[in-house]
């Protein structure tokens, strides 16, 4: 699947795009939010001051700062709780120790933080530390289910299931993740998948079952 998507969306070298804590907080902000709005929300959040100042700020101020992100009222306290847990941890705001921690332990450490789920933890570990994990967002989940790489299951279980069928190769996992996301945005949408122009159609279970007219259904 990775090699089929590459001619469409390009090669994707695995280079950290931002600091680990930036990645962690931005991933919380990105839920149900466009990339532009996520970036705007992060930028305005950082204008409140350093991480200590963001924790100490009234929650309404944090919610206002991140208003370009969807659900700011629920994300603001989550972000403050996540940051406070980091501040109070032995390593503080420095996540560098995750680079050498066994993957299982690193995932557990991150998902034990309030407001951090398996997708956010996987994104930080793969994007920042090139660890062999596979973040499953809504696009990755929908496409891998439709093509039949995994049976129908929730996103959380899909993280484990996909890791069992994919090679533990971080550059491979990164490129596949990013290009599946692009494919979900441009071709295999939830509402109206463009199966007629899809490069994955020859290997897609849903395409075969629905004879090229895949209905809109949630994977
Ligand atoms: Fe999605 Fe259709 Fe492509 Fe299958 S053939 S991956 S359902 S766009």
């Amino acid at each position: 699947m990775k090699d089929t998507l590459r001619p469409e969306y390009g090669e994707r070298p695995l280079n950290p795009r931002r600091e680990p804590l930036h990645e962690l907080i931005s991933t919380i902000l990105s839920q149900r939010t466009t990339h532009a709005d996520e970036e705007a929300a992060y930028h305005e959040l950082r204008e409140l001051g350093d991480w200590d100042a963001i924790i100490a700020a009234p929650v309404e101020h944090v919610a206002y700062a991140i208003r370009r992100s969807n659900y700011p009222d629920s994300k603001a306290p989550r972000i403050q709780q996540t940051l406070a847990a980091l501040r109070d941890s032995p390593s503080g705001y420095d996540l560098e120790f995750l680079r050498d921690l066994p993957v299982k332990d690193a995932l557990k450490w991150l998902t034990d933080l309030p407001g951090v789920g398996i997708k956010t933890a996987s994104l930080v570990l793969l994007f920042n530390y090139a660890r062999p994990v596979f973040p499953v967002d809504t696009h990755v989940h929908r496409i891998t289910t439709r093509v039949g790489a995994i049976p129908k299951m929730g996103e959380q279980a899909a993280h484990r299931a996909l890791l069992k069928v994919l090679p533990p190769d971080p550059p491979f996992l990164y490129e596949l993740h990013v290009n599946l996301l692009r494919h979900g945005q441009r071709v295999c949408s939830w509402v109206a998948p463009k199966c007629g122009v899809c490069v994955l159609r020859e290997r897609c279970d849903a395409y075969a079952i629905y004879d090229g007219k895949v209905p809109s259904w949630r994977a």
Side-chain angles (χ1 to χ4, degrees):
M1 194 150 48
K2 171 178 115 0
D3 291 341
T4 309
L5 292 172
R6 181 178 279 185
E8 295 292 305
Y9 306 111
E11 195 172 346
R12 302 283 178 166
L14 174 49
N15 297 316
R17 58 180 177 173
R18 45 202 186 189
E19 292 297 309
L21 193 45
H22 183 164
E23 190 73 54
L24 182 65
I25 299 302
S26 286
T27 304
I28 295 172
L29 291 171
S30 74
Q31 285 151 18
R32 311 252 172 206
T33 299
T34 65
H35 184 62
D37 284 341
E38 167 217 311
E39 293 219 314
Y42 182 84
H43 182 72
E44 210 164 320
L45 176 70
R46 294 312 312 269
E47 287 182 350
L48 292 176
D50 62 14
W51 299 121
D52 286 343
I54 293 169
I55 295 168
V59 69
E60 317 85 67
H61 292 195
V62 177
Y64 183 77
I66 63 169
R67 64 195 177 285
R68 289 274 300 271
S69 172
N70 279 322
Y71 309 111
D73 292 338
S74 63
K75 288 176 182 174
R78 278 173 59 201
I79 287 170
Q80 288 183 305
Q81 288 161 14
T82 302
L83 290 171
L86 286 172
R87 177 198 60 198
D88 298 339
S89 72
S91 55
Y93 300 121
D94 183 0
L95 301 179
E96 199 53 30
F97 71 98
L98 293 171
R99 191 182 296 283
D100 300 318
L101 209 60
V103 168
K104 201 170 151 209
D105 296 341
L107 278 173
K108 177 164 182 355
W109 192 89
L110 282 166
T111 53
D112 279 349
L113 292 170
V116 176
I118 182 73
K119 182 183 80 173
T120 302
S122 299
L123 279 168
V124 170
L125 291 179
L126 178 62
F127 284 28
N128 291 101
Y129 300 115
R131 310 305 304 273
V133 290
F134 191 61
V136 179
D137 71 353
T138 183
H139 299 292
V140 172
H141 186 224
R142 180 174 63 253
I143 298 169
T144 53
T145 305
R146 284 177 173 174
V147 298
I150 52 170
K152 205 166 179 177
M153 62 179 70
E155 272 186 30
Q156 184 137 350
H159 279 85
R160 290 189 292 274
L162 282 165
L163 269 185
K164 286 185 187 157
V165 298
L166 294 171
D169 173 2
F172 179 104
L173 296 168
Y174 177 78
E175 182 170 319
L176 182 60
H177 170 85
V178 174
N179 283 346
L180 280 173
L181 190 146
R182 295 280 173 274
H183 195 61
Q185 291 169 332
R186 295 176 190 178
V187 178
C188 189
S189 67
W190 174 47
V191 176
K194 298 173 189 154
C195 301
V197 297
C198 176
V199 292
L200 299 177
R201 65 183 181 275
E202 297 305 324
R203 64 177 65 195
C204 178
D205 283 0
Y207 184 81
I209 291 167
Y210 294 104
D211 197 20
K213 297 187 185 72
V214 177
S216 57
W217 42 264
R218 188 178 293 279

